[in-house]
Amino acid sequence: MTQTVGKQSLQFDKAVHILSGSSVVGKKEGEGPLGAYFDVVDDGDDQMFGEETWEEAESALQKEAAQLAIVKAKLTKDDIRYIYAGDLLGQLIATSFGLSQLQLPMFGLYGACSTMGEALSLGAMTVCAGYAEHVLSLASSHFGSAEKQFRFPLGYANQRPLSATWTVTGSGAFVLGTKGGKARITGITTGKIVDYGIKDSMNMGASMSPAACDTIFQNFQDFQRQPEDYDKIFTGDLGYIGQEILIKLLKDKGYDISKQHSDCGIEIYDRQTQDTHSGGSGCGCSAVTLAAHILPKVERGEWKRVLFVPTGALHSTVSFNEGQAVPGIAHAVVIEHC
Amino acid sequence: MTQTVGKQSLQFDKAVHILSGSSVVGKKEGEGPLGAYFDVVDDGDDQMFGEETWEEAESALQKEAAQLAIVKAKLTKDDIRYIYAGDLLGQLIATSFGLSQLQLPMFGLYGACSTMGEALSLGAMTVCAGYAEHVLSLASSHFGSAEKQFRFPLGYANQRPLSATWTVTGSGAFVLGTKGGKARITGITTGKIVDYGIKDSMNMGASMSPAACDTIFQNFQDFQRQPEDYDKIFTGDLGYIGQEILIKLLKDKGYDISKQHSDCGIEIYDRQTQDTHSGGSGCGCSAVTLAAHILPKVERGEWKRVLFVPTGALHSTVSFNEGQAVPGIAHAVVIEHC
């Protein structure tokens, strides 16, 4: 039976199995340090994946990641009872158009770049409760569609400050189920909105790190764990600047995670050669890093227990232009070898 | 124990109680046929609710509805374990800024105008599974923020075709729990994305009615029910045009719902005097109609069993301008007197 632990966490005593993970990325991600581990790398320079617009390209990414995760789990789409999915775009168009052909019951989610954590959390809650034998959780982002929506037209060629991150072009998908696989989700800590009043839309790391701190701190409290109870603690896309802030904030609260902490946004690009400044970002960043880098190591038992904490900056050009800050949110998922 | 029934439904044998519902609306909604039943009607002509922008006004609506639902359930915010919430705006800014002060674990949702159905479904799944004693499910929309995002600047004063609907300015919130109240959620049918290729962004009823048909048909199949097993079947915001299409589509599939069917978008405005053409729409439309009109009648036992089916048009100006159609989705919730 599942147990509610502490203020914000659930412990799944009937742990939820991760049957498969898939990753589909663009050329730049394929050229990064994790390039060899992605399932599919599109080598087109235009990031179009054979489509006519960036949004359609992102839909194509989601569709391919979804199908691949189902195949890797040795299932067919009719074995999946629910989809939990989202992306960064207004009205989740990458998701809507990417997944409509699957013709499966769907819950659309928005948690900015924390969406992969939200989708895994709700998917695990659903499977553990016996509502489904299998669910599909996925998320995506695309550099072109994100820059178009949130920042400047790519053709404008604006200079990016060193605090900026680079939106990952990619989608990661996961099949969760009642049995199978070598990794399981044993618990979750669901995040609150945390607003430190950060108003620099080119420094998402600063806006998200207080939310990451809040969720990780609560995870330690709720599960009565210390940093060393995890082999690794992965945030989603804080980047170099956000990482520094997070480690400091948690130190102030009595926890030193500097030995365990990594960030998907730091892992996915080589900042020296790839001109990505503070690191990678976007819903796809943590999603594909989980599928290609983290999950395989947990499955092989190299890491026994990992805390996976996708981080989201609830950034909108509308609210930003109206003078609002960029609040953050982070959802933590405990993943263990089995 | 909960049972998965048929392809897309869950039956909660440990039914989830609706402890309270609250509705906060604008002046126009207050002047409509349901005006006397809303909890709070703001009588300001500017729909600003004391704020400086429409988006902030919508956040204020959500905040007030949330607080009111908690008070009406005789709880405090610390009794709520999760929030399930969403709105129509890109990156859910009405929700993010409206609910951040509650400082509660939150799952952001996007299902266009079906969001209230999605939030009640996930909330009920959460309570029934024992993950929470109380959750808060809510949704909002605002005429000003929606027109700004999806259509024309209000100052442009464009003519609206007769097929257009009027976005409801309002937020409805509900506290779900394990016991209490006079109404319960006994089952859900989760919708798929249904795309009939409708490309008229001024006729959302046509784009959503196939999705409503699909979900209602599946509800009948999964629960082995006939239309007369429900006292009422409420869709969210199909309006007059969508209603006609829905009834015809379901007739073609062997079900006549013309006696049971109502639509929240039809109920909320007087089309003769309020110039709202096909009816009301927006996440707030079904949310406040449930709180002010449907739920009280179920609580009093006037209606024993109602099928509540918020309907969403997955409309985005970006995808629309790129030539894509407007797909629909609908999530059904079975609400019964207890």
Side-chain angles (χ1 to χ4, degrees):
Chain A
M1 294 278 59
T2 298
Q3 225 182 314
T4 57
V5 287
K7 284 189 183 167
Q8 292 174 227
S9 301
L10 293 175
Q11 180 158 352
F12 301 121
D13 286 350
K14 196 168 64 183
V16 175
H17 293 248
I18 304 178
L19 276 62
S20 67
S22 69
S23 53
V24 180
V25 301
K27 188 179 178 190
K28 189 179 185 84
E29 292 69 30
E31 290 167 351
L34 306 180
Y37 307 109
F38 296 119
D39 293 314
V40 178
V41 178
D42 184 272
D43 58 4
D45 282 317
D46 61 359
Q47 300 187 79
M48 287 308 230
F49 297 85
E51 303 293 331
E52 306 231 316
T53 67
W54 290 317
E55 292 78 16
E56 287 170 17
E58 191 176 340
S59 289
L61 281 172
Q62 277 214 18
K63 193 172 157 184
E64 189 163 359
Q67 287 168 336
L68 196 53
I70 294 170
V71 168
K72 285 175 85 172
K74 299 190 175 60
L75 299 172
T76 67
K77 84 170 190 63
D78 295 329
D79 297 314
I80 306 294
R81 196 162 174 105
Y82 294 108
I83 297 176
Y84 290 92
D87 59 78
L88 292 176
L89 304 179
Q91 294 78 49
L92 305 188
I93 47 175
T95 301
S96 303
F97 291 102
L99 304 180
S100 68
Q101 282 175 32
L102 284 176
Q103 282 295 294
L104 291 169
M106 193 183 95
F107 292 107
L109 308 178
Y110 183 77
C113 308
S114 76
T115 301
M116 196 64 248
E118 185 180 355
L120 288 171
S121 296
L122 288 168
M125 288 162 75
T126 299
V127 169
C128 181
Y131 298 147
E133 202 170 337
H134 302 109
V135 305
L136 181 69
S137 296
L138 71 159
S140 71
S141 53
H142 187 290
F143 179 74
S145 65
E147 288 292 303
K148 171 177 161 184
Q149 174 166 273
F150 292 109
R151 296 186 182 92
F152 297 100
L154 287 188
Y156 177 70
N158 72 302
Q159 292 217 7
R160 305 168 62 250
L162 290 175
S163 60
T165 48
W166 189 281
T167 304
V168 165
T169 297
S171 175
F174 303 85
V175 173
L176 309 183
T178 49
K179 54 180 186 291
K182 295 301 234 173
R184 343 176 269 178
I185 296 175
T186 58
I188 58 171
T189 303
T190 302
K192 301 177 295 195
I193 295 170
V194 179
D195 189 351
Y196 269 31
I198 306 294
K199 293 199 175 187
D200 181 353
S201 74
M202 292 292 191
N203 189 350
M204 296 287 102
S207 100
M208 293 186 286
S209 46
C213 170
D214 194 75
T215 299
I216 295 169
F217 175 79
Q218 202 59 48
N219 179 274
F220 291 160
Q221 295 277 309
D222 288 350
F223 289 95
Q224 299 183 308
R225 286 183 188 150
Q226 295 293 321
E228 51 272 24
D229 290 322
Y230 293 106
D231 294 310
K232 294 293 268 184
I233 297 171
F234 271 96
T235 44
D237 51 355
L238 298 184
Y240 293 94
I241 290 174
Q243 178 182 48
E244 203 179 315
I245 300 171
L246 169 65
I247 288 173
K248 186 179 178 319
L249 287 173
L250 270 171
K251 236 178 214 156
D252 291 347
K253 287 177 165 255
Y255 292 106
D256 180 0
I257 63 161
S258 57
K259 284 207 189 81
Q260 290 80 23
H261 186 256
S262 295
D263 181 74
C264 300
I266 292 175
E267 301 286 325
I268 198 165
Y269 297 124
D270 181 331
R271 83 194 290 199
Q272 303 301 330
T273 63
Q274 292 195 286
D275 193 31
T276 46
H277 299 342
S278 190
S281 62
C283 304
C285 178
S286 60
V288 302
T289 304
L290 175 61
H293 178 55
I294 305 170
L295 185 61
K297 284 187 192 280
V298 175
E299 288 174 332
R300 290 195 299 266
E302 289 176 43
W303 296 331
K304 298 289 185 200
R305 186 193 279 158
V306 167
L307 189 62
F308 176 64
V309 195
T311 37
L314 300 165
H315 174 220
S316 143
T317 52
V318 174
S319 55
F320 185 77
N321 289 338
E322 289 173 356
Q324 300 264 23
V326 181
I329 193 164
H331 297 299
V333 181
V334 182
I335 302 174
E336 300 190 38
H337 175 71
C338 67
Chain B
M1 296 274 66
T2 297
Q3 225 181 314
T4 57
V5 287
K7 284 190 182 168
Q8 290 173 230
S9 301
L10 293 175
Q11 179 158 351
F12 300 121
D13 286 350
K14 196 168 65 183
V16 175
H17 293 248
I18 303 178
L19 277 62
S20 67
S22 68
S23 53
V24 181
V25 300
K27 188 180 178 191
K28 190 180 184 83
E29 291 69 31
E31 291 168 349
L34 305 180
Y37 307 110
F38 296 119
D39 292 315
V40 179
V41 177
D42 185 271
D43 58 4
D45 281 317
D46 61 359
Q47 302 188 77
M48 287 307 231
F49 297 84
E51 302 293 331
E52 307 230 316
T53 67
W54 290 318
E55 293 76 18
E56 287 170 18
E58 191 176 341
S59 290
L61 280 173
Q62 279 214 17
K63 193 172 158 186
E64 190 164 357
Q67 287 168 335
L68 197 52
I70 295 169
V71 168
K72 286 176 83 172
K74 300 190 174 60
L75 299 171
T76 67
K77 81 169 192 66
D78 295 329
D79 297 314
I80 306 294
R81 197 162 173 103
Y82 295 108
I83 297 176
Y84 290 93
D87 59 76
L88 292 177
L89 304 178
Q91 294 78 49
L92 304 188
I93 47 176
T95 301
S96 304
F97 291 102
L99 304 180
S100 68
Q101 282 175 32
L102 284 177
Q103 283 295 294
L104 290 169
M106 193 182 96
F107 292 108
L109 308 178
Y110 183 77
C113 308
S114 76
T115 301
M116 197 64 248
E118 185 179 356
L120 288 171
S121 297
L122 289 167
M125 288 162 76
T126 299
V127 169
C128 181
Y131 297 147
E133 204 171 336
H134 303 108
V135 305
L136 181 68
S137 296
L138 72 159
S140 71
S141 53
H142 188 290
F143 179 74
S145 64
E147 287 292 303
K148 171 177 161 184
Q149 174 167 273
F150 292 110
R151 296 188 182 90
F152 298 100
L154 288 187
Y156 177 71
N158 72 302
Q159 293 218 5
R160 305 168 61 249
L162 290 175
S163 61
T165 47
W166 188 281
T167 305
V168 165
T169 297
S171 175
F174 303 85
V175 174
L176 309 183
T178 50
K179 54 181 185 290
K182 295 301 234 173
R184 345 177 267 180
I185 295 175
T186 57
I188 59 170
T189 303
T190 302
K192 302 177 297 195
I193 295 170
V194 178
D195 190 351
Y196 270 32
I198 306 292
K199 293 201 174 184
D200 181 354
S201 74
M202 292 293 190
N203 188 351
M204 295 288 102
S207 100
M208 293 185 286
S209 45
C213 170
D214 194 74
T215 299
I216 295 170
F217 174 78
Q218 202 60 49
N219 179 274
F220 292 160
Q221 296 276 308
D222 288 352
F223 289 95
Q224 299 183 309
R225 285 182 190 150
Q226 294 294 320
E228 50 271 25
D229 290 323
Y230 293 106
D231 294 312
K232 293 295 268 184
I233 297 171
F234 271 96
T235 45
D237 51 356
L238 298 185
Y240 293 94
I241 290 173
Q243 178 183 47
E244 203 181 315
I245 300 172
L246 169 65
I247 288 175
K248 186 178 178 320
L249 287 174
L250 270 170
K251 237 177 214 159
D252 291 348
K253 287 176 165 254
Y255 293 105
D256 180 0
I257 63 161
S258 57
K259 284 207 189 81
Q260 291 79 23
H261 185 257
S262 295
D263 181 74
C264 300
I266 291 176
E267 302 285 324
I268 198 166
Y269 296 125
D270 180 331
R271 82 193 294 199
Q272 303 301 330
T273 63
Q274 292 194 286
D275 192 32
T276 46
H277 299 342
S278 190
S281 61
C283 304
C285 178
S286 60
V288 301
T289 304
L290 176 61
H293 177 55
I294 305 170
L295 185 60
K297 284 186 191 281
V298 174
E299 288 174 333
R300 289 195 299 267
E302 290 177 42
W303 295 332
K304 298 291 185 199
R305 185 193 279 157
V306 167
L307 189 63
F308 176 63
V309 195
T311 37
L314 300 165
H315 174 220
S316 142
T317 52
V318 174
S319 55
F320 185 76
N321 289 338
E322 289 174 357
Q324 300 264 22
V326 181
I329 193 165
H331 298 299
V333 181
V334 182
I335 302 174
E336 299 190 38
H337 175 70
C338 67

